[in-house]
Amino acid sequence: MSALSDLNMFSVTGRERRLTVIQGDYAVNSDEGVVITTVLGSCVAVCLYDPVTMLSGMNHFLLAEPLPGHVADPSALERYGAFAMEQLINGMIKQGANRKSMKAHIYGGASMHGNMSDIGRSNARFARNFLDCDQIVVTKEDVGGAFARRVEMRARTGQIRCHHISMTQETSAPVFARKPVVRQNVGDVELF
Amino acid sequence: MTTRILAVDDSPSMRALLRNALVQQGYVVDQAEDGVAALEWLESNQPHLVITDINMPRMDGFELIEALRQGDRFQDLPILVLTTESSEEKKARARNAGATGWIVKPFDPEKLCAAVRRVTH
């Protein structure tokens, strides 16, 4: 497979291991049988695939970027797109992927509530601009709308399936219910 | 005197974020995409500070610090590491290589600039 592609042809079975990516988190994997998955509303997930190393990666961020002066706690910065993108791309590179051969998909950025429409749009725009600036080719976007999405990515092949979930359907959405990841040492400055 | 900073990161987006934070405080910021590009730039330039990422292609941040500390010219040049890495092992490696400080991303612009002021004055 030379690039990320839609996954309309595979079904997730009980034998497959699922890696769920929650808010502020990311996953990089290339194992056969692993499906990286997340559930999105106005959040955005960027999926990266490097066909050379057969590495897949996915992040999940809540907000594009902080407004000036709105960051009281450095750990809050983890919710934002720049850190999520940095983590994901670095995670891929550390495992041998090359930025130049990576292909990207962007999912999410929905308008789940009327007053959050700008958040979703802003998230998607941020991801698009970041990837463009980093010269990573975006081969597919499925963003916007007024519905949640469940994204599933096969780690070995980079194949992706994105389900649209209407608000009337069951959306127990573990991503919404679980606590965001909190890392230690965020924003720490230590002079030697 | 204007303080000149070399920002080394393989992500153009991250370089732009770093540059924006520093330029707003009056610093002049030059950029390099990895350790090799940084060393090439440093052959003919003398910044007051280098801020470098760790994970980069061709030459990573550790190798860059080690290369700079090998000669006399950059012995006193402050070098801050700005990275998503937070392990004590990697921090110790940076310290042993000759880094001046260690900042864990995502960075708080105010804390970053405070650290820059401390190491450049």
Side-chain angles (χ1 to χ4, degrees):
Chain A
M1 185 159 302
S2 61
L4 287 169
S5 62
D6 292 338
L7 183 56
N8 296 321
M9 70 292 283
F10 95 80
S11 61
V12 177
T13 71
R15 287 174 300 178
E16 288 173 322
R17 194 157 61 89
R18 301 174 73 87
L19 277 179
T20 302
V21 180
I22 62 173
Q23 273 178 20
D25 201 4
Y26 78 103
V28 173
N29 198 285
S30 62
D31 293 346
E32 191 75 45
V34 166
V35 177
I36 307 171
T37 181
T38 196
V39 178
L40 304 162
S42 59
C43 292
V44 157
V46 170
C47 301
L48 295 179
Y49 184 66
D50 179 6
V52 178
T53 54
M54 300 182 83
L55 265 175
S56 290
M58 181 191 294
N59 65 10
H60 177 156
F61 63 87
L62 179 65
L63 296 167
E65 48 199 340
L67 295 171
H70 278 226
V71 178
D73 174 4
S75 66
L77 290 164
E78 291 198 314
R79 294 180 301 174
Y80 295 102
F83 180 66
M85 293 304 303
E86 167 89 350
Q87 270 202 313
L88 174 62
I89 295 170
N90 269 354
M92 295 280 291
I93 290 172
K94 277 163 72 176
Q95 292 198 36
N98 187 320
R99 189 188 300 270
K100 289 177 181 164
S101 58
M102 292 181 202
K103 308 291 182 192
H105 284 194
I106 304 171
Y107 295 98
S111 170
M112 301 303 290
H113 309 287
N115 61 351
M116 291 179 71
S117 60
D118 285 339
I119 293 176
R121 194 177 303 128
S122 165
N123 285 343
R125 184 170 57 238
F126 178 88
R128 196 179 299 125
N129 289 343
F130 194 105
L131 291 163
D132 181 55
C133 187
D134 273 25
Q135 298 179 315
I136 295 174
V137 176
V138 177
T139 55
K140 180 168 181 176
E141 286 188 23
D142 185 344
V143 300
F147 40 80
R149 290 173 170 84
R150 177 177 290 110
V151 182
E152 296 169 328
M153 179 179 202
R154 277 198 158 183
R156 190 65 179 167
T157 62
Q159 293 172 307
I160 295 172
R161 178 167 58 189
C162 178
H163 304 271
H164 292 181
I165 309 165
S166 76
M167 295 306 286
T168 55
Q169 286 178 263
E170 179 275 317
T171 56
S172 53
V175 174
F176 301 144
R178 290 173 63 174
K179 279 186 174 179
V181 173
V182 177
R183 287 192 321 144
Q184 301 298 314
N185 308 323
V186 171
D188 274 4
V189 174
E190 182 176 340
L191 300 181
F192 301 139
Chain B
M1 184 180 65
T2 305
T3 301
R4 192 175 187 187
I5 300 171
L6 176 63
V8 189
D9 197 307
D10 57 324
S11 165
S13 301
M14 290 309 301
R15 291 201 304 270
L17 285 172
L18 182 56
R19 183 181 181 282
N20 289 343
L22 295 169
V23 165
Q24 283 178 15
Q25 298 300 313
Y27 297 110
V28 172
V29 180
D30 293 283
Q31 303 176 46
E33 65 183 19
D34 58 26
V36 172
L39 288 180
E40 287 171 0
W41 186 87
L42 286 161
E43 283 178 10
S44 52
N45 295 280
Q46 183 71 43
H48 300 93
L49 167 67
V50 170
I51 301 177
T52 182
D53 189 15
I54 288 295
N55 300 304
M56 297 180 289
R58 298 204 296 176
M59 178 184 282
D60 66 24
F62 296 124
E63 294 168 319
L64 171 63
I65 298 167
E66 287 162 358
L68 292 175
R69 295 308 192 210
Q70 274 177 3
D72 293 334
R73 187 178 157 209
F74 297 114
Q75 280 299 316
D76 298 323
L77 174 68
I79 305 173
L80 293 177
V81 174
L82 178 61
T83 177
T84 54
E85 302 285 353
S86 58
S87 77
E88 289 298 321
E89 179 190 346
K90 292 197 171 174
K91 190 195 297 182
R93 186 176 167 195
R95 186 193 294 120
N96 293 337
T100 311
W102 178 269
I103 302 171
V104 180
K105 293 179 187 173
F107 66 87
D108 176 348
E110 288 185 13
K111 283 188 178 178
L112 173 75
C113 289
V116 168
R117 280 193 294 275
R118 281 189 62 185
V119 300
T120 56
H121 283 90

